[in-house]
Amino acid sequence: MDPPSPWKTPNQVMQIHKLKKRKKALQERMKQSSNSIPTETSSTSKTSVNLDFSRILNGDKRKNPFSKTTAQQNKKVKLDDTIQLDESNDKTLFALLNLPKVIEKPPHEVDTEKLSTFSNLLQKFTAEHTVENKVIEKKYKKLPIDWALKTKLRLMSAKPFPWTNKLKASEEASGITGFVRCLDTTSSSTLDTSPRARFHQTCLYWQHPHLPWLNLFPRSGRVAATSFLATNEEVKKALLTEWTESFRSLFQLLRALHCPYFYVCGNTFTCLFLAAGICGMTEPTALIAPTTRGFRQTLRQEDVEYTMPLRPDQKKKMNTSEEDRKNSSHDSCYDTMDTGEHVSGDEEDPHEFLSQMGLETDEINKINNAQARLAHTAESTVDNAAESLVAVRGVDAQALFNFLLNCKSLVSPNGPFAGVPPTLLSPTAFHGGTLQSLKVRENVILSDSKKYYSIELRGPLLPTALHSIFRVLNTTSNAQYSATFAHHQPTLAFSWAAKVISEDESTKENEPNHFAKAFNKENLSDCGISEDLLTHFCSSETNSILSLDSVKYNSEDDTFTW
């Protein structure tokens, strides 16, 4: 069927013209009829054209008829005329039908909420389906513990800090003495207790090894390789020997509860050792992140049992003992397939079972290879991610220490850190440890014509150091401040895993070791941190562990928000 032609015939044009004339005549008769009714009064708006030629005679400039403003005004005039004409027609129709006149409301009394316009309907729908989410900022008296290592801390305040980068001789000496001897300088009568001395004490830490020409934390591949370390075997052997003694010293201090925790920062992973009693744990614990399938396979070969607390529940326990495999055949088969372990015991050999089914050796090998590839893929999906974190506890922490002590792959044979063993970081002194200080820089920042004072600290910021810095600032200044952190990315999983482990510990109330938690604080009384800080770090509350990005301090009520 052909579409209708846009052109009109002369007959159609005449019909349209006649209809328009009839419509106008009808409107005139209706207006006259409405005027003849004495009880009704109507006002008809008439549009008049202003033929004012005075502006032309006076030389006024003619307005452009094609301008946007003129077009909008003309459109508005036409719209107003149409509305007025429709209102007049409605009044006339009510008069002819002898209906009561509709009483119009003044413009300011019109109930616009009852009008079924699109905007009103949309507003009504939005009001009915919108839930007010009022964010209530919670305030806390204590900061949570974040086990992730920080590389930078920036403090900002509208008032100057009571600290400065320039120290007097007495302030530097008192800060070092208080840190090395683990003294609380707030109550000391012989040491300098000024804010500068106390601040300097919080910026110190112990590290091994210390090579001034290399930045050993965080380790970056952008550093140029040192030729004499990569080629000189005697230097590499001497470094490894010293590192072995330092690592052994730190672990023995941890076992004796004279060191609360320490970090081992390698080229590809970071390990956190926690003493028994920290975070309510009843036995020494080690967390390693990130890991790879090859590293976890090596741990299994060395009989180091571990769990992966950040993985799904059915895959948390990756290597189980022989007794567990016998007691739970279904779970053991799943773990064995996932980790590539060999099944032992009284279970039937799958190779013999497939042979009895009539399959040839080549087909059996293909099935085994396909299954091995699937297990390898499933095991490698979490490599180098937060879910790859490995937790080792109890006697297995000792086995992990022996493994790391003798692991030759910890030291890279080439690259920027060739021959350099992992970096050891600790809040307490140990054999071979070097006393180091954070890099401090002061700045004044102008923002929106306001002056802010800033202090930036760079270096390995340990968890206890952060709490000590905030403690000194809160007791020496009444100013409000904010703090922002830069994390060492691989260590972010430490806080998440510690929270999961702490939650598991809180549910084990019937175990014999549960009562040992009451003596955790007393056992760690000589670990080198203050008494109030030790109470906080020994707490078994899961809410006390949290990963932090920024913190705000309110001096009015002495509270923190994050």
Side-chain angles (χ1 to χ4, degrees):
M1 181 177 179
D2 296 333
S5 176
W7 304 101
K8 299 183 182 298
T9 61
N11 293 334
Q12 293 175 342
V13 174
M14 291 303 297
Q15 288 179 0
I16 295 173
H17 181 66
K18 290 178 181 180
L19 288 174
K20 288 182 178 180
K21 290 182 66 177
R22 291 176 183 175
K23 183 178 180 181
K24 290 181 179 180
L26 178 61
Q27 290 177 353
E28 291 296 331
R29 287 197 299 270
M30 294 174 65
K31 292 176 183 179
Q32 293 176 1
S33 301
S34 61
N35 291 333
S36 62
I37 301 175
T39 58
E40 301 288 339
T41 59
S42 64
S43 60
T44 305
S45 300
K46 297 181 180 180
T47 307
S48 60
V49 181
N50 185 13
L51 300 177
D52 186 10
F53 294 96
S54 60
R55 61 180 181 81
I56 301 177
L57 297 175
N58 295 333
D60 295 342
K61 187 176 180 180
R62 183 178 66 87
K63 294 183 179 180
N64 184 7
F66 299 102
S67 65
K68 185 175 181 181
T69 305
T70 306
Q72 292 178 351
Q73 292 177 351
N74 294 338
K75 184 176 180 181
K76 184 176 181 181
V77 170
K78 291 181 181 180
L79 182 61
D80 294 342
D81 293 344
T82 305
I83 295 175
Q84 293 176 359
L85 184 60
D86 291 341
E87 293 176 353
S88 176
N89 293 340
D90 292 341
K91 295 175 184 178
T92 307
L93 181 61
F94 278 107
L96 290 176
L97 297 176
N98 295 323
L99 295 175
K101 182 182 177 182
V102 178
I103 302 177
E104 300 180 2
K105 293 183 179 180
H108 64 279
E109 295 182 0
V110 176
D111 191 1
T112 57
E113 295 183 358
K114 295 182 179 179
L115 298 179
S116 297
T117 61
F118 176 77
S119 60
N120 288 342
L121 291 176
L122 181 60
Q123 292 177 1
K124 184 178 180 181
F125 177 82
T126 306
E128 291 177 354
H129 293 78
T130 302
V131 179
E132 294 184 0
N133 294 326
K134 296 182 180 179
V135 179
I136 301 176
E137 198 174 48
K138 295 184 179 180
K139 298 182 179 181
Y140 303 89
K141 286 293 183 179
K142 291 184 178 181
L143 279 177
I145 304 171
D146 188 359
W147 291 107
L149 279 171
K150 311 293 188 299
T151 59
K152 184 171 65 174
L153 166 64
R154 174 171 291 177
L155 299 168
M156 293 189 65
S157 176
K159 296 181 180 180
F161 290 97
W163 310 329
T164 179
N165 196 16
K166 299 178 181 179
L167 299 173
K168 299 179 181 179
S170 61
E171 294 170 345
E172 182 178 2
S174 296
I176 294 176
T177 303
F179 179 75
V180 172
R181 298 181 183 177
C182 303
L183 300 176
D184 187 3
T185 55
T186 57
S187 58
S188 176
S189 58
T190 58
L191 297 178
D192 190 342
T193 59
S194 64
R196 294 180 182 179
R198 295 175 59 191
F199 170 65
H200 182 60
Q201 180 177 347
T202 61
C203 295
L204 301 176
Y205 62 95
W206 297 96
Q207 174 183 328
H208 180 87
H210 172 62
L211 305 177
W213 62 90
L214 280 180
N215 184 17
L216 298 181
F217 178 84
R219 299 200 172 189
S220 175
R222 293 175 295 180
V223 184
T226 52
S227 58
F228 77 93
L229 280 181
T231 57
N232 196 322
E233 293 296 331
E234 293 183 0
V235 174
K236 291 193 293 184
K237 184 177 180 180
L239 282 175
L240 185 59
T241 302
E242 288 294 324
W243 181 85
T244 301
E245 292 299 324
S246 298
F247 187 28
R248 180 181 288 109
S249 172
L250 258 181
F251 188 74
Q252 296 299 336
L253 287 170
L254 185 92
R255 290 185 58 191
L257 303 178
H258 288 175
C259 177
Y261 64 89
F262 68 89
Y263 291 84
V264 181
C265 305
N267 296 328
T268 58
F269 68 89
T270 304
C271 182
L272 168 63
F273 282 88
L274 299 170
I278 298 296
C279 295
M281 300 178 187
T282 57
E283 52 190 353
T285 304
L287 305 176
I288 309 175
T291 63
T292 60
R293 178 182 177 274
F295 182 82
R296 297 190 294 270
Q297 182 68 24
T298 305
L299 291 180
R300 288 192 291 268
Q301 292 175 357
E302 297 293 330
D303 295 329
V304 180
E305 292 190 4
Y306 62 84
T307 59
M308 302 180 72
L310 298 183
R311 292 194 70 175
D313 293 338
Q314 66 271 19
K315 296 182 181 180
K316 279 186 178 180
K317 196 161 188 178
M318 299 301 298
N319 58 333
T320 57
S321 61
E322 195 71 27
E323 183 179 357
D324 293 334
R325 294 193 191 103
K326 293 181 181 180
N327 293 337
S328 179
S329 60
H330 179 270
D331 294 339
S332 299
C333 292
Y334 183 86
D335 292 339
T336 302
M337 182 184 68
D338 192 27
T339 60
E341 293 182 4
H342 297 286
V343 179
S344 60
D346 298 333
E347 297 180 4
E348 186 177 1
D349 186 7
H351 189 280
E352 182 180 354
F353 174 76
L354 293 176
S355 300
Q356 295 176 357
M357 295 289 293
L359 295 177
E360 297 181 357
T361 305
D362 295 338
E363 295 177 351
I364 295 175
N365 292 334
K366 290 181 180 179
I367 294 174
N368 293 335
N369 293 334
Q371 185 178 6
R373 285 193 298 269
L374 290 175
H376 181 277
T377 304
E379 179 69 10
S380 304
T381 53
V382 297
D383 285 0
N384 297 317
E387 292 80 3
S388 67
L389 179 139
V390 164
V392 182
R393 309 189 61 188
V395 293
D396 290 293
Q398 176 71 49
L400 176 66
F401 164 74
N402 295 332
F403 166 73
L404 295 177
L405 198 64
N406 302 313
C407 184
K408 297 181 179 180
S409 61
L410 285 181
V411 182
S412 177
N414 48 32
F417 299 101
V420 181
T423 306
L424 304 176
L425 300 172
S426 170
T428 55
F430 61 95
H431 177 79
T434 306
L435 183 64
Q436 298 295 320
S437 176
L438 300 173
K439 304 297 186 295
V440 183
R441 187 175 62 179
E442 301 175 73
N443 289 317
V444 177
I445 301 174
L446 296 177
S447 178
D448 297 333
S449 68
K450 293 183 180 180
K451 183 184 291 186
Y452 295 94
Y453 298 88
S454 170
I455 289 185
E456 185 177 280
L457 295 90
R458 290 179 177 269
L461 285 145
L462 303 179
T464 50
L466 287 176
H467 286 259
S468 299
I469 290 172
F470 292 138
R471 179 189 177 191
V472 173
L473 182 57
N474 296 349
T475 56
T476 58
S477 175
N478 295 324
Q480 299 182 2
Y481 63 88
S482 63
T484 55
F485 311 105
H487 301 276
H488 184 41
Q489 202 68 22
T491 63
L492 283 173
F494 288 161
S495 294
W496 307 333
K499 188 177 183 67
V500 174
I501 295 174
S502 181
E503 290 176 352
D504 294 340
E505 282 285 329
S506 61
T507 59
K508 300 177 181 179
E509 297 182 356
N510 296 326
E511 291 189 358
N513 292 332
H514 175 69
F515 296 98
K517 295 181 180 179
F519 304 98
N520 289 337
K521 179 184 173 183
E522 299 300 328
N523 294 335
L524 288 167
S525 58
D526 296 327
C527 69
I529 56 180
S530 60
E531 184 177 356
D532 58 342
L533 200 59
L534 180 62
T535 303
H536 187 43
F537 272 73
C538 289
S539 174
S540 58
E541 297 180 2
T542 57
N543 295 330
S544 63
I545 304 174
L546 186 67
S547 181
L548 296 175
D549 293 325
S550 61
V551 173
K552 292 182 180 180
Y553 173 74
N554 188 3
S555 59
E556 296 179 357
D557 51 2
D558 190 23
T559 57
F560 293 94
T561 57
W562 52 80

